[in-house]
Amino acid sequence: MTYQKPNFRHPLAPTNNLGLSRREYEGALSTLCAGCGHDSISNAIITACFENSIEPHKVAKLSGIGCSSKTPTYFLGNSHGFNTVHGRMPSVTTGANMANRDLTYIGVSGDGDSASIGLGQFAHVVRRNLNMLYIVENNGCYGLTKGQNSATTDLGSISKSGNANKFSPIDLCNLSMQLGATFVARSFSGDKDQLVPLIKAAMSHRGFAFIDVISPCVTFNNNPGSKKSYDFVREHQEATSNIDFVPMQQEITTQYDAGTTQEVTLHDGSVIHLHKPIDGFDIHNPRTAMRAMKDHQERDEILTGLLYVDTDPVDLHDVINTNSKPLNSLTKEELCPGNKTLQSINESLR
Amino acid sequence: MTTPDTMVQHYHEVVDCQYACPAHTPVPEYIRLIAEGRYTDSYMLNWESNVFPGVLGRVCDRPCEPACRRGRLQEEPVAICRLKRVASDFKDDIQSRLPKIPEEKNGKRIALIGAGPASLTVARDLMPLGYEITVIDEQQKGGGMIRSQIPSFRLPDTVIDEEVGYILDMGVDTRFGEEVTSLKSILDEKFDAVFIGTGAPRGRNLEIPGRYDAEDHIHIGVEWLANVSFKHTNSIGEKVVILGGGNTAMDCCRTARRLGGKEVTVTVRSPFAEMKASPWEIEDAQHEGIPVLDNHVPVQFHCEDGKLNAIEFQLVRAEYDAKGKRSLIPTGEDNVIIECTDVIVAVGQENSFPWIERDIGIEFNDWDMPEVDKITYRTSHKKVFVAGDAAWGPENIITAVAQAHQAAISIDLFCNGKRLSSRPGPNWTLVSQKMGIHEWSYQNNVVDDERYAVPLIATDKALADLSVEVELGFDANLALQEAHRCFSCDAQTVFNASKCIECDACIDICPTDCLTMTHYDPSVDDVGDLRQRLTGPAANNEQPIYVSGSLPDTGRVMVKDENVCVHCGLCAERCPTAAWDMQKLLYTEAQAGDSCQK
Ligand SMILES: Cc1cc2nc3c(=O)[nH]c(=O)nc-3n(C[C@H](O)[C@H](O)[C@H](O)COP(=O)(O)OP(=O)(O)OC[C@H]3O[C@@H](n4cnc5c(N)ncnc54)[C@H](O)[C@@H]3O)c2cc1C
Ligand SMILES: Cc1ncc(C[n+]2csc(CCOP(=O)(O)OP(=O)(O)O)c2C)c(N)n1
Ligand code: SF4
Ligand code: SF4
Ligand code: SF4
Ligand code: SF4
Ligand SMILES: [Mg+2]
């Protein structure tokens, strides 16, 4: 009569390069509705971090407000976390990142949190190319406040109460490309084969990596006529290509057919393999991606997969030339170099 | 592919303990009743399946425990056997719950030869159906080897008296003190059927030089134990060597310790790891300061004037050929001579049927054992049935009980003029346990506790008196804690593919990685290959895999590896559409009367 996750795990469960089991990457038991897409995304994040052997204490997870923004409690229980206010995750993450550039930043937000109240913050964090993974758990509604339409609800999508949405949606992938994002992808919570490698690649990308994950709200937006239901997404999803991710430390063992597989090497040496890409799609050209997305949207189809990547990005630290070390590691001597240095600065300005 | 009609069999296999129990006792259900303090209900549930819960709760060979799922996730399985004893110790008077015996009999008379657990089970099953039962045993009391062999420090007489009494008091006609010397003469008494439950009464001998030079000091284990049990023997010399590594040897050495043996040593031919005795019996013996010497092959008794001085051993080591067949190779070291006053030979038991005439229609096989059908337990004589140790050699009590239930079904079918092959199927129900949100009517939280040890009496007190029971049994509190270790493997994960929306919630939450959704076509794909691509490594081929029908959205299937499911119910808890449900399987084997009377 209790609701607790047992402590037993599979006796043959593997450990990663750090000797950690998957369990070390789990969080508290979710309090979201049973079957919520968001829980699936939490699990994809756990899998990606576990398989990539990321040290849990080197990750910071930040979020805003919403069911989606609650989820950082449910993964990476041994990492740093900050639950900010509605729509304000980008600015708090910017501050944290400026202070400590050595952490991996995972921002989790919702379509309401990012496309409605937080749209301004979203725009600026993209154009600044902050080094982070930004995930929008996109259910096309305000789940936490009982399912009102959001700014990503598709035109004509029928709500649970039976009304068709009359406003055009904001496509956050399209918008982020216009704003200069350097890694853009879309995925589906019900497709971990695609989502996990995307998250791994996004964490290896140095710069702003955006993943819009369609994540059905089973309680308020999984009804017939909804364009973000499990059924609809499954029927209307098309992937730009199949994706594999090979982290930097690991040797590439699988042989790929050069004709159908494209290799993308990220700055840290890890490699993304894209198999069977759709015709005429150029992963390094934002314009082809934007056009393809628009075409798909007009046909009521959802284009998923990796949409665009810049393998040589210039992130915010590069642009504003910050210190190469986290602020908390600077010594008093470095922070306060003394009167002699002050005098020489003053001298140089005379 | 698991189809609906095979599901009950699948679910039955999932309840590892019950499946491993020869009588298929509904273990998780009785453990649950103990946790609820319903000891009498728990006892009766046991009694129906295994007839001797108080006896078995102390001395059962417990094949259920090595099978218990907890043993795959923790060091030790649930103390299934010792919990059974709790039900027996704390129950109320059960007289009113025993089956009513019809005053008016059905006119069929059955003879049971031997009054061991096999015969008593047949009597228990047939008496309530109106049969007239006559039990014949050369001993003065019922119980068979339970009484004559198992020492009272493991199993007090009071427990035997009580449970044998429940059966004999049903109005069984007893002819105790009568040795059957001719089966023909029994058949001549015009019984409608005769059941042979005479066990494997003869202890195997060891013919080595000196064997007959000190008769009073060289004993056959089973005979010696029976003599102790019936108080014909009450002492032994100070230095005793036991030959043999089975459970009989363990009972002999511990009994010898209590009858005056100061230096008691067990010797076995094989390496220690291959001893036949149950690990816990060896442990108990060692706990009482009895060393076990392995790789010792006895070669000669040293006697003088009818007195035993020592026994000589050759030292060997075990070697195995490519097929794994063992041979014991002498090491070439000097023989070992152990001084002793007595030797007890406990090297096995044999059946013997000098009293069955070979010309009355019972076929005997090459081993001079009657040919017995593995399903019906009937010999080639249509009226003669055999079960227990008498059928295929020494086993244990629970096996004798399980076989005897089947023999009773056959006798009942036979006496009703039905075909023995039209046997009744099991009784089962499968009932949802859902009570509400986060609420299940079985205990679904999973505790981490390690196995609780049964309190023992101090060793010096135990050794001082043969009749003092060594184990004190769990108290109610310990029993409750141990009962909570049970995963309730009878709470089955029942899947309805048509409801699944493939949201992954069940797969994500499952603590032990049991679940996978994948493409699989049973008509072309290989199950072995399927096992390779599941969420968690499905390496235990002895555990079944559940494969659903195809899922509505993607045509994939839901696969569950049953191996380490802890029955926490989280898959069902997290499923938005109740495609998973936790349903309790209550499964019992059919018994005599299930097809004829109903
Ligand atoms: C030392 C020892 C310890 C054991 N410990 C355990 C234990 O801890 N747990 C466990 O599960 N099992 C144990 N066993 C095995 C268990 O006792 C037997 O498997 C079980 O009793 C077999 O039951 P049964 O009804 O087939 O025959 P038995 O119990 O052997 O009963 C046969 C009866 O038939 C009678 N009989 C035989 N021939 C005749 C005849 N011609 N005329 C009249 N009567 C006859 C005998 O007197 C006896 O009473 C032990 C066995 C031994 C030898
Ligand atoms: C400043 C402020 N305004 C409004 C709210 C009410 N509110 C809470 S969550 C939410 C929308 C969340 O939607 P989304 O980000 O899509 O998350 P979801 O629950 O759908 O995952 C709103 C409007 C709030 N908490 N704070
Ligand atoms: S309301 Fe919707 S988004 Fe929120 S937890 Fe429930 S299903 Fe998920
Ligand atoms: S955990 Fe309980 S139900 Fe499962 S095998 Fe062990 S005793 Fe039986
Ligand atoms: S009951 Fe369900 S969730 Fe729990 S271990 Fe078994 S399959 Fe996994
Ligand atoms: S939780 Fe239920 S609906 Fe979701 S995948 Fe599992 S069985 Fe299907
Ligand atoms: Mg939302």
Side-chain angles (χ1 to χ4, degrees), chain B residues 15-17 27-28 31 68-70 78 80 485-490:
Chain B
V15 195
D16 292 305
C17 48
V27 174
I31 292 181
C68 170
R69 172 155 293 145
R70 206 170 252 271
V78 175
I80 301 170
R485 295 182 71 235
C486 175
F487 289 138
S488 296
C489 301
D490 57 344

Side-chain angles (χ1 to χ4, degrees), chain A residues 1-12 29-30 32-35 39-40 43 192 222 230-231 234, chain B residues 70 72 438-440 444-448 501-504 508-509 511-512 537 553-554 568 570 573-574 576:
Chain A
M1 273 183 250
T2 48
Y3 184 47
Q4 280 163 12
K5 187 159 172 172
N7 292 324
F8 290 109
R9 294 295 178 268
H10 197 297
L12 300 177
L29 196 59
S30 171
L32 301 187
C33 305
D39 278 336
S40 231
N43 253 273
K192 289 212 187 66
N222 196 38
Y230 280 107
D231 282 357
R234 273 214 179 86
Chain B
R70 206 170 252 271
R72 298 199 286 276
H438 303 343
E439 257 202 282
W440 300 94
N444 69 313
N445 72 319
V446 174
V447 300
D448 296 337
I501 59 168
E502 302 178 49
C503 70
D504 275 3
D508 289 341
I509 197 74
T512 45
D553 277 4
T554 62
C568 61
L570 286 185
E573 183 76 53
R574 296 303 293 166

